[in-house]
Amino acid sequence: MKIQTFLFACIVLSLTFGSSCHSGKKATGDAVSQSTEDTPQPDGDIKVKDKMVEDEDSLFASISRSPCFGRCPEYDLRIYRSGYTIYDAKRFTDTVGVFYTILPREKLDKIKEYANEIGYFEMEDSYDNQYVTDIPGVDTRCHFDGKDKSIHNRYQGPRELSSFEKFLDDQVKDVEWKLLKRPQD
C-alpha cells in the first residue's frame, strides 16, 4: 500500500510540474537586447537585419584559450565568412560576457594571407605533453579555400603558430563589440 501511494504521489507531482514548466515560448536566456530583429543571437539561428544568415556562412577561423590554475584568459572567438564574429569572454579578460561584431572583409583577407604564409595547414594537429601541467592550451581552426584545419597548441608549438594566435587576437582588438549576453551569476 505504501509503495502504491508513493508511486501515485510521484506521478501526480511529475504531471503537475512537467506541464507547468512548458509555456510554449522559447527561452531567451539573459540576452541583453529586447528585440532580435537586428541582433545576432549567440546560439542557434543568427538573425541579421531581419534576414537569416545562410548556411554557407560557415566558420572561417576561431581561437579558444583554455584556463590554467592561475589567471590565464579564458575565451572563445569565432569568425564567420560574412565577418560576423562572436567573442565569448569567460574569465580573466578585460570584460566578461558574449559579444558580437562584424569584421570587414580586409581583416578576413589578412587572416587568410597570414595563415597561408606561415604554413598553418601543413602544421601538426597537436602540440602537447601529457606530463606537463598548469599551462593553458590554445585551439585554433581555419576553414577556407577548401581546407579545414584545427590545431591544439599547449606545449612547444612552433613560434609561427604562437604568432598566428596573437595575430588573430590583434585582428579584433580595435573593433566595437556589442553585448549579446551578460555573464551568468
Side-chain angles (χ1 to χ4, degrees):
M1 183 70 179
K2 288 182 181 180
I3 293 175
Q4 289 175 333
T5 305
F6 175 75
L7 288 174
F8 179 75
C10 288
I11 291 171
V12 169
L13 286 173
S14 66
L15 289 173
T16 303
F17 289 114
S19 63
S20 65
C21 289
H22 184 66
S23 68
K25 291 184 178 179
K26 189 174 179 182
T28 58
D30 293 332
V32 174
S33 175
Q34 297 294 329
S35 168
T36 59
E37 284 186 26
D38 294 334
T39 306
Q41 301 300 309
D43 297 314
D45 294 333
I46 301 168
K47 270 187 114 172
V48 179
K49 294 185 182 159
D50 228 7
K51 176 183 168 195
M52 297 304 290
V53 174
E54 303 294 329
D55 286 339
E56 66 261 9
D57 190 22
S58 61
L59 188 67
F60 178 80
S62 67
I63 182 169
S64 296
R65 292 190 182 271
S66 66
C68 64
F69 292 120
R71 298 182 58 86
C72 304
E74 180 184 0
Y75 62 87
D76 297 319
L77 177 74
R78 295 183 309 275
I79 304 168
Y80 294 87
R81 286 183 3 177
S82 66
Y84 177 75
T85 303
I86 292 184
Y87 176 56
D88 185 357
K90 298 173 184 171
R91 296 183 333 151
F92 305 119
T93 56
D94 291 339
T95 186
V96 177
V98 180
F99 303 85
Y100 81 96
T101 193
I102 307 292
L103 291 180
R105 171 64 43 203
E106 298 78 34
K107 288 198 180 254
L108 274 64
D109 292 341
K110 286 180 181 180
I111 292 169
K112 182 192 294 191
E113 181 181 323
Y114 197 77
N116 287 325
E117 182 180 307
I118 65 163
Y120 181 87
F121 292 100
E122 288 75 42
M123 291 182 181
E124 299 291 323
D125 292 339
S126 182
Y127 299 95
D128 203 355
N129 183 330
Q130 65 182 1
Y131 302 109
V132 177
T133 60
D134 191 28
I135 55 175
V138 181
D139 294 312
T140 55
R141 181 176 176 197
C142 288
H143 179 78
F144 45 80
D145 293 340
K147 301 179 228 170
D148 189 3
K149 174 83 170 180
S150 297
I151 300 176
H152 175 70
N153 184 19
R154 198 179 72 85
Y155 183 75
Q156 293 187 344
R159 197 172 325 131
E160 295 84 3
L161 181 56
S162 296
S163 174
F164 180 68
E165 295 162 358
K166 183 181 179 329
F167 182 80
L168 281 175
D169 288 337
D170 290 345
Q171 295 309 299
V172 297
K173 282 190 176 182
D174 63 345
V175 299
E176 181 182 338
W177 291 102
K178 295 177 183 142
L179 182 64
L180 271 176
K181 186 176 178 182
R182 292 190 176 114
Q184 306 254 337
D185 295 325

